[in-house]
Amino acid sequence: MFLGYLTSILLVSVYSAHAVGAAPAPDSRACSPPDGEAGAAFALTNAPDDNQVIAFSRSATGKLTQTGAYSTGGRGIGVDFDTQGGLQLSPDHKFLYAVSPADDKISVFAVDGSCLERVQVIYAGDQPLAVALKEDGSLAYVLDGSVASTGIFGFHVNSRTGRLTAINNATIPISTPIGVPGAVLFSPDGKSIAVTSKVGSLIDVFSIDDTGLATGPVSTIVSSGLRPFGAVYRDDGTLFVVESGLPVLTNTAVSTYRLDNATSTYLSALTRSEKNQQTDGCWIVLGGEDDEFAFTANFVSGTVSSYAVAVNGTVSLIDGEAAFTGEGSEPVDLAVTPDKAFLYNLLRGDGAIVGWKIEENGTLSSVGTFGAGQSLPKANGASGLAVF
Ligand SMILES: *[C@@H]1O[C@H](CO)[C@@H](O)[C@H](O)[C@H]1NC(C)=O
Ligand SMILES: *[C@@H]1O[C@H](CO)[C@@H](O)[C@H](O)[C@H]1NC(C)=O
Ligand SMILES: *[C@@H]1O[C@H](CO)[C@@H](O)[C@H](O)[C@H]1NC(C)=O
Ligand SMILES: *[C@@H]1O[C@H](CO)[C@@H](O)[C@H](O)[C@H]1NC(C)=O
């Protein structure tokens, strides 16, 4: 986001207590998931005084109920992270990783349904803004976004406890220090990491050696469109990137790339900037049983767009306004359930989470809006969403 960021700077000075109506923060022993819990959703307040994870129980029909608020032990920045992935579940959803950019930390929680127990808070470089986890759960890389030190910072992950150990305790720079990165992600085979740069309109690829250490960038490509932001890999190595397109209005688009199979380090363009006529799309996920759809959240328009994803990795727009989230709702992070049947969107402007069932034809059927007036701050920087 860009416009949102400016708005947030204005709002941060009037930051007010966000915890009005908050559920009491239960400790892990006191927490018992409600009956019929099918999964959980977590969102991050990003509050500057005490950055908290707000936990929701998720029912089989997709409804969310707030069950707790857990301190990360770190501080947020109160303005949007301006990244995708500030809150990440491990692939087996046993652990949850949350960034606290104001004090350079990442927090690790053990997950038991919608109940959390904080197990670690650790230094993660200058202003951590997003987290990538390797599919086998063995490595984590954090995206550091400060102007002084923009790059990726790696950790080994203990598979039993979820705890992190820094690999070299250093930030490995991306190709341009003023690129303003938007997303960090492991390739499906875990051999490389891609980083988008919004201002630079570049995508860097780092290779990962046997010890887990990243080197590079080993390749840098110019994005097909302006301001590549959020991104997601399909299992076959197709990369889907949403371009916010700013400063041009109604310029949001999705581009796709294929990662070469031999070295996992070179991206070549497939679809180039398939537009959706929306403004400031920044987040993207895949959904539907076989990932046959892609969805983008468009911050300024207050919409979610749907795309059809072809087996060959190309995309075509289905509906620019597959869902309207409301004037001033400021849709930010998107997340899909592991079965790819439900889509959720954090509404920064409303301090709420909206959910949809993904129908077989890609249309979105609302399951409701949750958490408004509870612990998520309204129009005050909430960033990061994870669901299972
Ligand atoms: C990592 O670097 C930070 C910042 O320089 C320092 O405070 C910390 O002690 C280092 N950790 C280790 C394990 O060396
Ligand atoms: C590349 O490898 C993936 C995963 O093994 C496979 O699904 C895909 O078909 C391969 N693509 C090509 C073009 O060979
Ligand atoms: C990819 O698949 C789509 C949908 O089947 C098709 O329209 C398109 O021509 C294909 N593109 C390429 C480059 O094969
Ligand atoms: C898509 O599926 C839903 C649910 O079955 C249905 O209500 C809707 O009319 C369908 N839309 C189109 C365009 O086929």
Side-chain angles (χ1 to χ4, degrees):
M1 288 153 302
F2 179 72
L3 304 178
Y5 183 77
L6 296 179
T7 316
S8 314
I9 287 171
L10 298 175
L11 285 169
V12 74
S13 58
V14 293
Y15 182 83
S16 59
H18 60 275
V20 178
D27 69 37
S28 60
R29 283 151 302 171
C31 182
S32 56
D35 289 345
E37 181 169 276
F42 305 102
L44 202 51
T45 64
N46 185 25
D49 52 349
D50 175 22
N51 184 20
Q52 294 187 340
V53 176
I54 309 303
F56 296 82
S57 180
R58 196 175 67 77
S59 77
T61 57
K63 298 201 182 304
L64 306 182
T65 307
Q66 184 176 320
T67 53
Y70 300 86
S71 176
T72 60
R75 290 182 293 119
I77 49 178
V79 295
D80 311 329
F81 292 162
D82 227 12
T83 58
Q84 175 164 323
L87 191 61
Q88 289 282 14
L89 279 161
S90 58
D92 61 7
H93 47 78
K94 284 186 180 155
F95 306 107
L96 181 71
Y97 298 86
V99 299
S100 287
D103 48 11
D104 304 337
K105 289 170 181 166
I106 177 166
S107 303
V108 185
F109 293 88
V111 178
D112 178 11
S114 60
C115 300
L116 299 178
E117 183 187 0
R118 197 174 80 211
V119 296
Q120 188 184 24
V121 184
I122 186 172
Y123 175 76
D126 203 357
Q127 211 170 327
L129 294 171
V131 186
L133 295 163
K134 192 176 165 184
E135 190 57 40
D136 69 2
S138 65
L139 294 173
Y141 266 83
V142 169
L143 181 62
D144 290 332
S146 86
V147 174
S149 172
T150 291
I152 57 172
F153 189 108
F155 295 95
H156 291 292
V157 183
N158 181 311
S159 60
R160 196 175 48 81
T161 64
R163 289 172 60 94
L164 305 173
T165 309
I167 296 174
N168 64 345
N169 205 35
T171 303
I172 301 165
I174 62 168
S175 59
T176 166
I178 54 167
V180 191
V184 58
L185 50 169
F186 272 96
S187 61
D189 64 9
K191 289 183 188 162
S192 68
I193 284 177
V195 177
T196 60
S197 287
K198 290 168 285 181
V199 172
S201 288
L202 300 171
I203 305 173
D204 288 337
V205 177
F206 295 81
S207 65
I208 303 295
D209 71 18
D210 293 342
T211 69
L213 188 61
T215 52
V218 291
S219 73
T220 299
I221 59 161
V222 175
S223 166
S224 295
L226 278 178
R227 285 182 81 88
F229 197 116
V232 59
Y233 268 111
R234 191 170 69 179
D235 290 344
D236 69 345
T238 307
L239 181 67
F240 298 76
V241 181
V242 59
E243 297 152 0
S244 100
L246 288 176
V248 183
L249 303 183
T250 68
N251 197 34
T252 294
V254 172
S255 290
T256 67
Y257 304 85
R258 176 172 292 123
L259 186 67
D260 76 296
N261 271 19
T263 64
S264 290
T265 48
Y266 294 96
L267 290 166
S268 49
L270 296 169
T271 297
R272 292 181 183 269
S273 299
E274 170 81 351
K275 294 213 161 52
N276 59 23
Q277 289 78 49
Q278 307 298 301
T279 298
D280 204 15
C282 302
W283 294 268
I284 184 167
V285 290
L286 300 177
E289 212 169 316
D290 301 308
D291 285 339
E292 65 271 36
F293 306 114
F295 300 96
T296 69
N298 312 308
F299 184 82
V300 170
S301 299
T303 53
V304 171
S305 301
S306 59
Y307 287 84
V309 173
V311 174
N312 63 21
T314 60
V315 292
S316 52
L317 182 67
I318 300 174
D319 188 353
E321 293 190 41
F324 176 59
T325 55
E327 291 292 339
S329 60
E330 300 179 347
V332 290
D333 303 68
L334 290 166
V336 283
T337 50
D339 64 4
K340 305 294 180 96
F342 292 95
L343 174 69
Y344 294 91
N345 192 189
L346 177 62
L347 303 180
R348 175 195 180 282
D350 293 345
I353 299 171
V354 58
W356 301 274
K357 183 171 183 295
I358 303 170
E359 303 292 355
E360 275 176 26
N361 59 18
T363 62
L364 297 175
S365 300
S366 176
V367 294
T369 300
F370 311 99
Q374 292 186 277
S375 302
L376 284 170
K378 195 173 166 177
N380 225 340
S383 294
L385 180 68
V387 303
F388 74 93

